[in-house]
Amino acid sequence: MIVEIKITELAIGNYVVDIVKQQGHYNLTSAGHIKSQKVIQNLASKGVETLLIDTSKQLKQDKEPELDTPIEEITEDQGPGVPTILEINKAKKLFKESKEIQRKVFEEAQSGRELNLTPVIEVTNRTIETVFKNPDALACVINIRNKDEYLLEHSVSVSVLMTIFARFLKIEKSIVEQLSVGAFLHDVGKILIPDEVLNKPGKLTEAEFEVMKTHVNHSIDVIKRTPGISELSLEVAALHHEKLDGKGYPFGVPAKDITTYGRMITICDIFDALTANRVYKDGYSHVKAFSILRNLAQKNHIEARLVDLFIKCMGVYPVGSLVELNSNKLAIVEARNQEDPIRPKVRSFYNAEFHHYVMTEDIDLTNGDDFIVKGVRADDFDLDMNKIIEFLLMEG
């Protein structure tokens, strides 16, 4: 069972899964057993207040071993690894911090001040480290969104998606850092669009859409004025609405001049816009969004090869997305199956027929009679994604 305890209750032999509450920003690189009093003292000195432990993995010891290794360096006896669902708390904190930095970026742009690039670089680098270690946790957090914070969350999410995609394509890390910053800033110009256009709950008129399109020009101007920004970061922000048929905006750039990085951010930008909930519009399921991306590729708006790679990167049923099983249960995707993408590992939690939560069950869809009927959204069943995650964490 996964339980939360205070640092004063932590004992030798406990299996620590994650830190819940702390004064600082200390992160565990992996779960592990507490094997000395010095490790407990080390955690307390770093401001750790409460932790999650797995009581089923308690280590019995007659005496304290002579071991000074910090918990993050302990690698033995870790079992099959920490479920993605338990990594979400750390990912949520990072996503929240990123939103606050994004908020400051918008404030600086709106007031005409130069952007302070340092916190942007710091938080995107932390995102990169998290993605390179466990891309599924942040991909899962992107599904937990606030309808009234779309502008902030969209920019952060596109940066996360760009990082996940670049990692999948094995792009050099120094390049990924620049791509992540560019994606983080790609929509900064939207803060300079009149509110009645930016937040209009419905289809824009032709004149309003012309105004909306100028957000890219504003983004380019703001980014160009930012000290220390790289040409590559500017490039991806400038190209995110260009199309391969030359009919994109703001410059109608022809396909031959749209770089691979520009093509990548366009896919990430469209995917997030399609799947995100907004005050006036519910997002599409991931499967529906993938279908729309493929349709846009057929129209020569975006590159088909990269769309297929993006879908392979995210998984047909991405980790953190919800699916309905033939047993009338809802489940969250816990792990992808590269050999058989339509049969991932899932965790069921809800009876869709009788509309109530049920005891969770880990199901490997490659075995047994269960299969996915369709991808769904929490809203389809009047459920809240935050509450679903809380329930799953309580269930361990």
Side-chain angles (χ1 to χ4, degrees):
M1 178 183 292
I2 306 292
V3 297
E4 183 178 345
I5 64 169
K6 296 178 181 178
I7 187 68
T8 52
E9 300 170 326
L10 189 62
I12 296 168
N14 286 158
Y15 187 89
V16 176
V17 173
D18 200 0
I19 295 169
V20 178
K21 187 178 179 182
Q22 62 174 314
Q23 295 298 322
H25 300 284
Y26 185 68
N27 286 323
L28 303 181
T29 58
S30 63
H33 287 103
I34 297 293
K35 292 190 175 181
S36 81
Q37 194 64 37
K38 289 184 180 180
V39 173
I40 299 174
Q41 293 168 355
N42 180 51
L43 291 170
S45 69
K46 294 182 183 296
V48 174
E49 296 179 357
T50 64
L51 313 95
L52 289 178
I53 66 167
D54 188 341
T55 57
S56 69
K57 295 183 179 180
Q58 180 71 25
L59 190 67
K60 294 180 180 180
Q61 299 217 359
D62 297 327
K63 63 177 182 177
E64 177 183 335
E66 297 297 323
L67 185 65
D68 296 335
T69 310
I71 189 169
E72 66 269 25
E73 294 180 15
I74 299 175
T75 56
E76 67 268 28
D77 301 321
Q78 289 183 16
V82 184
T84 296
I85 200 71
L86 296 179
E87 293 286 343
I88 289 177
N89 271 340
K90 278 190 281 189
K92 283 176 71 175
K93 291 175 187 175
L94 178 56
F95 194 80
K96 184 178 179 181
E97 285 179 45
S98 299
K99 280 168 55 180
E100 290 308 308
I101 291 170
Q102 187 69 252
R103 194 187 308 276
K104 291 175 183 176
V105 164
F106 282 131
E107 289 172 357
E108 290 166 348
Q110 193 168 38
S111 65
R113 303 195 307 270
E114 287 183 347
L115 303 188
N116 181 5
L117 197 59
T118 300
V120 174
I121 292 174
E122 288 176 352
V123 81
T124 51
N125 280 347
R126 285 174 58 201
T127 296
I128 291 166
E129 292 303 319
T130 301
V131 166
F132 271 64
K133 188 166 59 179
N134 183 356
D136 291 336
L138 268 170
C140 189
V141 168
I142 291 174
N143 296 326
I144 311 170
R145 307 281 283 274
N146 296 319
K147 289 186 176 184
D148 57 352
E149 291 192 315
Y150 172 75
L151 184 58
L152 286 174
E153 295 188 334
H154 173 67
S155 295
V156 174
S157 297
V158 172
S159 183
V160 171
L161 289 170
M162 191 70 170
T163 302
I164 292 172
F165 195 17
R167 174 187 179 272
F168 177 81
L169 296 177
K170 295 181 170 57
I171 293 173
E172 185 181 335
K173 202 170 184 181
S174 62
I175 300 295
V176 179
E177 291 169 358
Q178 298 173 69
L179 299 178
S180 183
V181 169
F184 196 91
L185 299 176
H186 82 283
D187 263 352
V188 65
K190 279 189 175 177
I191 201 66
L192 300 174
I193 299 297
D195 189 64
E196 61 270 19
V197 174
L198 182 63
N199 295 311
K200 181 180 178 180
K203 188 174 181 179
L204 299 177
T205 65
E206 189 173 332
E208 288 169 337
F209 186 54
E210 289 302 314
V211 173
M212 177 62 85
K213 289 196 295 186
T214 64
H215 81 270
V216 185
N217 304 78
H218 293 311
S219 291
I220 292 169
D221 292 341
V222 171
I223 294 170
K224 278 184 175 178
R225 296 198 306 267
T226 303
I229 199 76
S230 76
E231 287 295 322
L232 186 52
S233 295
L234 175 60
E235 174 190 304
V236 294
L239 292 173
H240 77 274
H241 276 301
E242 299 292 352
K243 298 177 183 178
L244 298 185
D245 62 3
K247 296 179 181 179
Y249 63 87
F251 305 118
V253 178
K256 64 182 179 62
D257 294 329
I258 302 176
T259 64
T260 296
Y261 305 133
R263 298 175 186 211
M264 287 169 61
I265 194 173
T266 303
I267 293 169
C268 295
D269 181 61
I270 294 172
F271 177 77
D272 188 73
L274 289 171
T275 55
N277 281 337
R278 312 188 201 184
V279 173
Y280 55 87
K281 171 187 168 294
D282 288 338
Y284 293 114
S285 70
H286 291 84
V287 174
K288 175 67 175 176
F290 290 149
S291 175
I292 293 172
L293 285 175
R294 282 200 170 108
N295 185 257
L296 291 173
Q298 289 174 357
K299 294 179 178 178
N300 199 33
H301 290 184
I302 54 182
E303 185 179 327
R305 181 186 66 89
L306 282 175
V307 168
D308 288 341
L309 286 170
F310 180 76
I311 294 171
K312 187 175 181 181
C313 164
M314 298 300 294
V316 176
Y317 299 106
V319 171
S321 63
L322 301 183
V323 293
E324 184 175 354
L325 305 179
N326 59 310
S327 58
N328 289 321
K329 288 182 179 179
L330 300 188
I332 190 167
V333 178
E334 277 270 79
R336 283 169 288 182
N337 180 357
Q338 298 291 358
E339 300 300 320
D340 192 351
I342 65 171
R343 297 182 183 276
K345 292 181 180 179
V346 302
R347 178 175 294 187
S348 63
F349 64 90
Y350 189 82
N351 187 304
E353 182 179 2
F354 298 108
H355 308 287
H356 62 77
Y357 285 89
V358 295
M359 185 178 295
T360 60
E361 179 186 0
D362 289 317
I363 305 171
D364 185 345
L365 295 178
T366 57
N367 303 315
D369 299 323
D370 288 301
F371 60 86
I372 294 173
V373 175
K374 60 182 177 180
V376 297
R377 297 184 61 89
D379 295 344
D380 298 338
F381 299 87
D382 294 323
L383 297 175
D384 181 275
M385 197 66 191
N386 276 296
K387 291 181 180 178
I388 291 172
I389 297 299
E390 287 175 12
F391 175 76
L392 292 169
L393 286 169
M394 286 173 59
E395 287 283 301

